Amino acid sequence: MIDLKRLSEPEYRSGMQRKGASADLIGQVAALNDQRHSAQLELERLRAESNTVSKAIGKASPEERPAKIEAAAVVKTALASAEQSYGALADELKALALQLPVPAHESVPDGGEDEGTVVATVGGTPDAPPMDHADFGRHLGWVDTELGADVSGSRFAYLFGGAVQLEFALVQWALAKLMAREFIPVVPPVLVREQMMIDAGFFPTDEHQVYGIGSDDLYLVGTAEAPLAGVHRGQRLTAEDLPFRYCGFSSCFRREAGTYGKDTRGIFRVHQFDKVEMFIWSNPETSWDEHELLLEIEREILDELELPYQVVNIAAGDLGGAAAKKYDCEVWLPSEGAYREVTSCSNYLDYSARRLDTRIKGESGSVFAHTLNGTAIPVARMLVFLMEHYQQADGTFTVPEVLRPFCGGIESIAPRK
RNA sequence: GGAGAGGUGGCCGAGCCAGGUUGAAGGCGCUUCCCUGCUAAGGAAGUAACGGGGCAACUCGUUCGGGGGUUCGAAUCCCCCCCUCUCCGCCA
């Protein structure tokens, strides 16, 4: 939810327009907000009157009461209609205001998809190995998508042997790295209520991407971001305690609706995968520093895994409603001859906290916290990149050096027999 | 899954059965001041959040788990939902 009070600020409006919000809609929301405000004045005036009248009845003598009660009933009728019109206005305003995105930050480039700015490039663009990740995964006996399809359907896979070893090595390595940066590790629930999905900003916009457990009114999260957003929901935080940095490990479930025929090979895009996600609650003044910290960590992970990548400052038109700025880290995928997204990090400013009602107590009143999130390790996809970059000519897999301590020291893994 | 108890301000805890100066007693904590020759004890005052109006003093509204309802009036009565605790059952 945007800050309606700032709707009159030109920079606020232009930041939204750069993300594709129409000036028309913005003006409509502003006008509706003014209407709502005058309706509020009228409503509160009537409520005050009604309260006064009712209190007087309590003090009145028994003989006086019948007449006073009758008079109060008249006020009640007027109040009811004022309440109805205010409620209608407020609902309409809310529905429209929810369509407005948080304004893009000034450092975000204009444009839409594919118009982001590459802000860093590390490593080269090596040629494709003999086998692409899908074939190599099968060759190693690590990934079985046929079995996954048989048991659960397309876009499901079994991981065996070395893939599992690598998964836990990646996770442990990342958690150690993050804990050293004062992130608190979390294993959150992966089934959450509808209200949590709404508050975290996934509903209604992404509802079609989410699996629902209809029998219990619960939803499988697509990312740990959803339950992590709930950690401080409705709380009043103390400025000195911030930032709170969390890293959640969870399975993630995505319906991947509308992606038929896209990324069908291997486990690049699957319905279920595990992920380590970073989430930060920050003071408003320092959230941009925290955003850079998230990027720094994501880059460090790729640097140490020695994967070639580029960092993209996503263009305004390609940002989601909640993000004021987003970096994507894209690793070179040799078999496709292209950079593909592996991690990303966003600063939501107060957009999400407003809905979550997480505030920071201050001297005069309180302010909304800022929230940020970023991917640390998307396991399945990371395995895809590793299987291409660490594939050897003899059909073996070389374990990335930083992961060896977490793999019992082995340097190489041969195909499973 | 069965049975019962309960959710009140930063915390504890009255009020609910008999609806009306109760936004809510009392206590703890916290803040300021007083006293005290010493980080104790005692005394006084203050101390919810959110939204609106006002330069301000201040004032109006909303909030007693959440949502509906009854009523002139609901923390108090009715309905639905959520959560916590206890006992039994089941179980990794």
Side-chain angles (χ1 to χ4, degrees):
Chain A
M1 176 63 107
I2 59 149
D3 188 347
L4 291 171
K5 283 183 194 156
R6 295 185 62 191
L7 265 183
S8 55
E9 297 174 24
E11 321 81 65
Y12 205 73
R13 287 179 175 231
S14 66
M16 289 192 285
Q17 286 182 39
R18 291 177 64 213
K19 290 178 67 171
S22 73
D24 207 43
L25 178 62
I26 296 171
Q28 213 177 331
V29 170
L32 211 50
N33 192 38
D34 290 343
Q35 281 182 51
R36 198 217 90 250
H37 184 243
S38 33
Q40 182 183 0
L41 293 180
E42 173 63 6
L43 174 64
E44 292 190 352
R45 190 187 63 74
L46 283 167
R47 276 186 180 153
E49 186 182 342
S50 169
N51 285 341
T52 312
V53 174
S54 289
K55 274 182 184 164
I57 294 172
K59 284 184 247 178
S61 62
E63 308 84 69
E64 301 177 311
R65 286 198 179 189
K68 283 179 182 274
I69 286 174
E70 226 170 288
V74 176
V75 180
K76 189 194 180 185
T77 313
L79 180 59
S81 90
E83 252 161 5
Q84 203 187 349
S85 55
Y86 176 82
L89 270 174
D91 287 349
E92 193 187 347
L93 172 64
K94 192 179 175 191
L96 283 184
L98 280 175
Q99 292 175 31
L100 289 178
V102 71
H105 188 250
E106 55 188 15
S107 65
V108 171
D110 284 322
E113 206 177 345
D114 305 324
E115 293 188 87
T117 308
V118 175
V119 295
T121 304
V122 176
T125 54
D127 293 335
M131 291 178 262
D132 79 352
H133 57 92
D135 287 336
F136 191 47
R138 198 176 304 118
H139 164 80
L140 288 166
W142 284 9
V143 180
D144 195 330
T145 50
E146 283 84 10
L147 186 57
D150 186 39
V151 169
S152 303
S154 65
R155 292 203 193 283
F156 281 97
Y158 276 75
L159 297 184
F160 289 104
V164 176
Q165 218 178 340
L166 275 180
E167 155 151 3
F168 286 103
L170 280 166
V171 170
Q172 293 243 57
W173 171 64
L175 287 183
K177 182 182 286 298
L178 289 165
M179 281 190 272
R181 301 257 197 175
E182 296 182 325
F183 279 75
I184 301 162
V186 186
V187 177
V190 293
L191 282 167
V192 302
R193 289 181 206 284
E194 182 180 27
Q195 192 59 51
M196 188 65 251
M197 283 300 206
I198 293 170
D199 292 349
F202 292 98
F203 282 7
T205 43
D206 294 328
E207 191 160 0
H208 61 286
Q209 291 294 359
V210 174
Y211 288 105
I213 309 296
S215 54
D216 288 284
D217 273 331
L218 291 170
Y219 297 86
L220 280 160
V221 301
T223 163
E225 181 194 332
L228 287 175
V231 172
H232 293 292
R233 176 168 54 168
Q235 293 186 358
R236 301 295 118 103
L237 309 176
T238 308
E240 296 78 61
D241 296 340
L242 296 175
F244 289 132
R245 303 192 182 110
Y246 297 96
C247 53
F249 169 82
S250 83
S251 290
C252 303
F253 305 89
R254 300 183 180 184
R255 296 186 65 226
E256 295 296 350
T259 61
Y260 306 109
K262 221 163 109 185
D263 301 321
T264 52
R265 292 196 47 79
I267 52 172
F268 188 88
R269 187 181 297 279
V270 281
H271 288 310
Q272 178 193 334
F273 59 96
D274 296 328
K275 179 162 65 72
V276 177
E277 176 80 4
M278 302 178 281
F279 194 101
I280 296 176
W281 301 85
S282 148
N283 282 307
E285 310 80 56
T286 56
S287 74
W288 289 112
D289 297 334
E290 296 294 323
H291 190 225
E292 292 302 320
L293 170 69
L294 288 175
L295 177 61
E296 184 185 319
I297 292 169
E298 291 180 354
R299 292 189 59 171
E300 186 181 300
I301 285 169
L302 300 177
D303 286 334
E304 292 185 19
L305 286 172
E306 298 181 73
L307 293 168
Y309 67 94
Q310 64 178 22
V311 178
V312 180
N313 181 4
I314 297 298
D318 200 22
L319 290 173
K325 185 176 184 178
K326 178 164 98 162
Y327 290 118
D328 272 6
C329 291
E330 304 176 341
V331 171
W332 179 254
L333 187 58
S335 64
E336 290 190 14
Y339 284 102
R340 299 299 308 271
E341 182 184 345
V342 63
T343 55
S344 76
C345 54
S346 305
N347 186 353
Y348 285 175
L349 301 180
D350 61 355
Y351 188 83
S352 187
R354 197 175 295 277
R355 185 149 29 178
L356 291 163
D357 191 28
T358 303
R359 300 167 195 253
I360 302 167
K361 286 178 291 189
E363 289 299 312
S364 52
S366 58
V367 295
F368 287 105
H370 282 193
T371 62
L372 306 95
N373 65 85
T375 329
I377 302 283
V379 174
R381 193 165 288 190
M382 196 63 93
L383 289 177
V384 165
F385 292 110
L386 294 180
M387 283 190 286
E388 295 207 359
H389 288 284
Y390 284 87
Q391 183 181 142
Q392 303 305 307
D394 64 358
T396 62
F397 177 88
T398 298
V399 178
E401 220 168 295
V402 288
L403 297 183
R404 289 177 193 172
F406 299 91
C407 286
I410 55 169
E411 292 175 18
S412 172
I413 305 178
R416 197 162 63 94
K417 291 187 187 81

